Amino acid sequence: MTELIRMLPLFIALCSIAAGILVQRGGRGGIRNPVQTNAVVVSKITQTGYRHHSAVEMSAPVVRYETEHGEVTAAYRKFLPEWQDTYRIGEEIPICYDREHPTQFRICRNQTNRMGGALLIFSGCGTLLAYAVLLLQYY
């Protein structure tokens, strides 16, 4: 039992590093061959959704962007509540679209995944370093 408790920081550090790598890589959102470009928000699609047992107006941006095959206008697949939606008409946003299916895209400007992943990796490496120093000092 004491060996398990002694190895717990090592296990937590390795899990933290693995989680940081997974968070930084992020899900590609169904995009197999991503191509990055800028898109202009043309309009919004709205629908009524249910969040926390109440009806909420939800919206998704419709964007126009250039691909290898020409100009494409497509709607985002993820609907956000109206109070959370931050996309204004005429705003230019970075997206990643699928080279084989140009109408499938995701918005790529979210940097919190990179920062959160870096923080997890940094804390995991710091824990490993502290564990190694304590191991060398006391054994």
Side-chain angles (χ1 to χ4, degrees), residues 4 31 59 63 71 74 76 79 87-88 92 115 125:
L4 180 66
I31 309 295
S59 65
V63 296
E71 191 173 80
Y76 195 44
F79 282 82
Y87 308 112
R88 286 178 246 126
E92 190 169 302
M115 297 283 287
C125 290

Side-chain angles (χ1 to χ4, degrees), residues 112-134:
T112 56
N113 286 353
R114 296 187 65 87
M115 297 283 287
L119 182 65
L120 282 169
I121 291 172
F122 182 73
S123 65
C125 290
T127 304
L128 280 178
L129 182 65
Y131 185 78
V133 167
L134 289 173

Side-chain angles (χ1 to χ4, degrees), residues 35-39 64-72 95 97:
V35 177
Q36 291 190 346
T37 187
N38 288 329
R64 180 180 296 136
Y65 52 95
E66 288 289 327
T67 66
E68 299 164 347
H69 307 291
E71 191 173 80
V72 173
I95 63 166
Y97 70 89

Side-chain angles (χ1 to χ4, degrees), residues 28-31 60-61 75-79 103-106:
R28 291 188 277 182
I31 309 295
Y76 195 44
R77 293 182 286 179
K78 185 177 177 183
F79 282 82
T103 58
Q104 293 181 0
F105 70 95
R106 70 180 180 95

